[in-house]
Amino acid sequence: MVLQLLPQKEMELRERHPAYGFETVSRMFYDSEKYTASKRQYIQRWRLTASREQLKQQKRGVLIQPERQICVYVDSLVPQPFVESIKNALAQWSVAFEKAGWKNVFRLSSDVADASLVYGSILFRWGAAYNDNNYSKIVNPVTGEILCARVNMMDENAKSLLDTYFLQCALLDSRIRKDLYDVSVRQDIITAQLASLFARVLGMQPNGAGKRAFKPADLRSEKWLNKYGLSASVSSALRFNYVV
């Protein structure tokens, strides 16, 4: 049995839409007059709040900082190159939040006091039962608010891709030709993996079709890559641009 203490302040519900691509929570509504029951789905998301005056500024195009930032704690056991991978992955998502009107959404912390699964926090831990990067999150089952999350990461999965990376990219990447276990290559691979995984932490569904939306001719175009990237979705778990 699990007893979960929910926040006193409830987040505004946002009904599911097929274009959103978010995980959902379900609620049943009963009509005592028509004797019918209907199920509605609401998206999962983190709660970002600001004062009414700040929200007015946001509507005018001014970036605002949430009253409560999402605290990101990075385990001291994470090797420094992969701490940078975490920061780079978060930086990519910071750009997305800025497009939505929010700045400084994440607050990085190395304070041991933050190393617990508390409201409004994300923990990055080094090591897991599986040789892969994985996550878990706690969600308010009534409103869909994501309360906190945890990410376990390792470089084992990146190591397993190095042989494939060498075969597919060595002609263009001198780093892998000099050293099959080059740390900077693993760092780049983990950054991409974490950025994709972080979509799930933010409540998004995986989008396998996203990596098949672009044509090979598009992916061979430097102009296209600089403008659109490798995939139509960051949550498509694309490893690297093997077509190039």
Side-chain angles (χ1 to χ4, degrees), residues 74-88:
V74 179
D75 190 349
S76 61
L77 294 178
V78 179
Q80 189 57 40
F82 306 132
V83 173
E84 294 304 313
S85 295
I86 296 173
K87 292 180 180 179
N88 292 336

PDB file of all heavy atoms in Angstrom, residues 74-88:
ATOM      1  N   VAL A  74      22.356  16.839  -9.028  1.00  0.00           N
ATOM      2  CA  VAL A  74      23.227  15.891  -9.731  1.00  0.00           C
ATOM      3  C   VAL A  74      24.102  15.192  -8.708  1.00  0.00           C
ATOM      4  O   VAL A  74      24.848  15.838  -7.956  1.00  0.00           O
ATOM      5  CB  VAL A  74      24.100  16.607 -10.773  1.00  0.00           C
ATOM      6  CG1 VAL A  74      25.008  15.601 -11.483  1.00  0.00           C
ATOM      7  CG2 VAL A  74      23.230  17.343 -11.784  1.00  0.00           C
ATOM      8  N   ASP A  75      24.010  13.864  -8.653  1.00  0.00           N
ATOM      9  CA  ASP A  75      24.786  13.045  -7.733  1.00  0.00           C
ATOM     10  C   ASP A  75      26.283  13.328  -7.891  1.00  0.00           C
ATOM     11  O   ASP A  75      26.797  13.450  -9.011  1.00  0.00           O
ATOM     12  CB  ASP A  75      24.488  11.565  -8.038  1.00  0.00           C
ATOM     13  CG  ASP A  75      25.055  10.632  -6.984  1.00  0.00           C
ATOM     14  OD1 ASP A  75      25.843  11.074  -6.147  1.00  0.00           O
ATOM     15  OD2 ASP A  75      24.681   9.444  -7.010  1.00  0.00           O
ATOM     16  N   SER A  76      26.991  13.437  -6.791  1.00  0.00           N
ATOM     17  CA  SER A  76      28.436  13.705  -6.835  1.00  0.00           C
ATOM     18  C   SER A  76      29.218  12.568  -7.473  1.00  0.00           C
ATOM     19  O   SER A  76      30.381  12.742  -7.855  1.00  0.00           O
ATOM     20  CB  SER A  76      28.964  13.964  -5.417  1.00  0.00           C
ATOM     21  OG  SER A  76      28.750  12.829  -4.586  1.00  0.00           O
ATOM     22  N   LEU A  77      28.616  11.382  -7.608  1.00  0.00           N
ATOM     23  CA  LEU A  77      29.292  10.248  -8.232  1.00  0.00           C
ATOM     24  C   LEU A  77      29.300  10.333  -9.755  1.00  0.00           C
ATOM     25  O   LEU A  77      30.022   9.586 -10.415  1.00  0.00           O
ATOM     26  CB  LEU A  77      28.628   8.933  -7.800  1.00  0.00           C
ATOM     27  CG  LEU A  77      28.744   8.550  -6.321  1.00  0.00           C
ATOM     28  CD1 LEU A  77      27.992   7.255  -6.053  1.00  0.00           C
ATOM     29  CD2 LEU A  77      30.208   8.394  -5.911  1.00  0.00           C
ATOM     30  N   VAL A  78      28.487  11.226 -10.328  1.00  0.00           N
ATOM     31  CA  VAL A  78      28.445  11.347 -11.786  1.00  0.00           C
ATOM     32  C   VAL A  78      29.774  11.927 -12.273  1.00  0.00           C
ATOM     33  O   VAL A  78      30.179  13.006 -11.836  1.00  0.00           O
ATOM     34  CB  VAL A  78      27.290  12.262 -12.233  1.00  0.00           C
ATOM     35  CG1 VAL A  78      27.284  12.401 -13.758  1.00  0.00           C
ATOM     36  CG2 VAL A  78      25.956  11.711 -11.749  1.00  0.00           C
ATOM     37  N   PRO A  79      30.493  11.224 -13.163  1.00  0.00           N
ATOM     38  CA  PRO A  79      31.759  11.758 -13.690  1.00  0.00           C
ATOM     39  C   PRO A  79      31.556  13.121 -14.353  1.00  0.00           C
ATOM     40  O   PRO A  79      30.519  13.349 -15.001  1.00  0.00           O
ATOM     41  CB  PRO A  79      32.186  10.700 -14.714  1.00  0.00           C
ATOM     42  CG  PRO A  79      31.508   9.443 -14.269  1.00  0.00           C
ATOM     43  CD  PRO A  79      30.193   9.877 -13.702  1.00  0.00           C
ATOM     44  N   GLN A  80      32.525  13.997 -14.206  1.00  0.00           N
ATOM     45  CA  GLN A  80      32.382  15.384 -14.673  1.00  0.00           C
ATOM     46  C   GLN A  80      32.000  15.498 -16.148  1.00  0.00           C
ATOM     47  O   GLN A  80      31.153  16.342 -16.500  1.00  0.00           O
ATOM     48  CB  GLN A  80      33.674  16.161 -14.393  1.00  0.00           C
ATOM     49  CG  GLN A  80      33.552  17.665 -14.650  1.00  0.00           C
ATOM     50  CD  GLN A  80      32.444  18.310 -13.842  1.00  0.00           C
ATOM     51  OE1 GLN A  80      32.251  17.980 -12.673  1.00  0.00           O
ATOM     52  NE2 GLN A  80      31.706  19.220 -14.467  1.00  0.00           N
ATOM     53  N   PRO A  81      32.581  14.692 -17.071  1.00  0.00           N
ATOM     54  CA  PRO A  81      32.161  14.823 -18.473  1.00  0.00           C
ATOM     55  C   PRO A  81      30.669  14.609 -18.668  1.00  0.00           C
ATOM     56  O   PRO A  81      30.054  15.236 -19.530  1.00  0.00           O
ATOM     57  CB  PRO A  81      32.985  13.736 -19.189  1.00  0.00           C
ATOM     58  CG  PRO A  81      34.167  13.519 -18.318  1.00  0.00           C
ATOM     59  CD  PRO A  81      33.670  13.692 -16.916  1.00  0.00           C
ATOM     60  N   PHE A  82      30.084  13.735 -17.845  1.00  0.00           N
ATOM     61  CA  PHE A  82      28.668  13.433 -18.008  1.00  0.00           C
ATOM     62  C   PHE A  82      27.789  14.371 -17.196  1.00  0.00           C
ATOM     63  O   PHE A  82      26.583  14.456 -17.439  1.00  0.00           O
ATOM     64  CB  PHE A  82      28.419  11.970 -17.670  1.00  0.00           C
ATOM     65  CG  PHE A  82      29.315  11.037 -18.450  1.00  0.00           C
ATOM     66  CD1 PHE A  82      30.006  10.018 -17.819  1.00  0.00           C
ATOM     67  CD2 PHE A  82      29.487  11.207 -19.807  1.00  0.00           C
ATOM     68  CE1 PHE A  82      30.852   9.189 -18.528  1.00  0.00           C
ATOM     69  CE2 PHE A  82      30.330  10.381 -20.532  1.00  0.00           C
ATOM     70  CZ  PHE A  82      31.022   9.365 -19.889  1.00  0.00           C
ATOM     71  N   VAL A  83      28.380  15.080 -16.230  1.00  0.00           N
ATOM     72  CA  VAL A  83      27.682  16.208 -15.614  1.00  0.00           C
ATOM     73  C   VAL A  83      27.429  17.268 -16.683  1.00  0.00           C
ATOM     74  O   VAL A  83      26.356  17.882 -16.744  1.00  0.00           O
ATOM     75  CB  VAL A  83      28.498  16.806 -14.441  1.00  0.00           C
ATOM     76  CG1 VAL A  83      27.841  18.087 -13.930  1.00  0.00           C
ATOM     77  CG2 VAL A  83      28.640  15.797 -13.316  1.00  0.00           C
ATOM     78  N   GLU A  84      28.438  17.460 -17.538  1.00  0.00           N
ATOM     79  CA  GLU A  84      28.283  18.403 -18.646  1.00  0.00           C
ATOM     80  C   GLU A  84      27.200  17.936 -19.615  1.00  0.00           C
ATOM     81  O   GLU A  84      26.486  18.755 -20.197  1.00  0.00           O
ATOM     82  CB  GLU A  84      29.616  18.576 -19.386  1.00  0.00           C
ATOM     83  CG  GLU A  84      30.706  19.229 -18.556  1.00  0.00           C
ATOM     84  CD  GLU A  84      30.287  20.586 -18.011  1.00  0.00           C
ATOM     85  OE1 GLU A  84      29.753  21.391 -18.801  1.00  0.00           O
ATOM     86  OE2 GLU A  84      30.489  20.833 -16.802  1.00  0.00           O
ATOM     87  N   SER A  85      27.072  16.611 -19.790  1.00  0.00           N
ATOM     88  CA  SER A  85      26.001  16.080 -20.641  1.00  0.00           C
ATOM     89  C   SER A  85      24.635  16.453 -20.086  1.00  0.00           C
ATOM     90  O   SER A  85      23.720  16.814 -20.833  1.00  0.00           O
ATOM     91  CB  SER A  85      26.128  14.554 -20.759  1.00  0.00           C
ATOM     92  OG  SER A  85      27.301  14.176 -21.431  1.00  0.00           O
ATOM     93  N   ILE A  86      24.494  16.348 -18.765  1.00  0.00           N
ATOM     94  CA  ILE A  86      23.229  16.735 -18.115  1.00  0.00           C
ATOM     95  C   ILE A  86      22.945  18.209 -18.355  1.00  0.00           C
ATOM     96  O   ILE A  86      21.833  18.600 -18.743  1.00  0.00           O
ATOM     97  CB  ILE A  86      23.280  16.429 -16.606  1.00  0.00           C
ATOM     98  CG1 ILE A  86      23.402  14.930 -16.359  1.00  0.00           C
ATOM     99  CG2 ILE A  86      22.041  16.987 -15.903  1.00  0.00           C
ATOM    100  CD1 ILE A  86      23.624  14.560 -14.904  1.00  0.00           C
ATOM    101  N   LYS A  87      23.963  19.042 -18.138  1.00  0.00           N
ATOM    102  CA  LYS A  87      23.784  20.486 -18.318  1.00  0.00           C
ATOM    103  C   LYS A  87      23.422  20.820 -19.764  1.00  0.00           C
ATOM    104  O   LYS A  87      22.559  21.668 -20.021  1.00  0.00           O
ATOM    105  CB  LYS A  87      25.061  21.223 -17.909  1.00  0.00           C
ATOM    106  CG  LYS A  87      25.370  21.167 -16.423  1.00  0.00           C
ATOM    107  CD  LYS A  87      26.653  21.913 -16.104  1.00  0.00           C
ATOM    108  CE  LYS A  87      26.971  21.865 -14.612  1.00  0.00           C
ATOM    109  NZ  LYS A  87      28.248  22.570 -14.302  1.00  0.00           N
ATOM    110  N   ASN A  88      24.074  20.147 -20.718  1.00  0.00           N
ATOM    111  CA  ASN A  88      23.797  20.415 -22.128  1.00  0.00           C
ATOM    112  C   ASN A  88      22.387  19.983 -22.512  1.00  0.00           C
ATOM    113  O   ASN A  88      21.720  20.655 -23.308  1.00  0.00           O
ATOM    114  CB  ASN A  88      24.828  19.707 -23.007  1.00  0.00           C
ATOM    115  CG  ASN A  88      26.219  20.298 -22.871  1.00  0.00           C
ATOM    116  OD1 ASN A  88      26.370  21.452 -22.497  1.00  0.00           O
ATOM    117  ND2 ASN A  88      27.244  19.506 -23.167  1.00  0.00           N
TER     118      ASN A  88
END
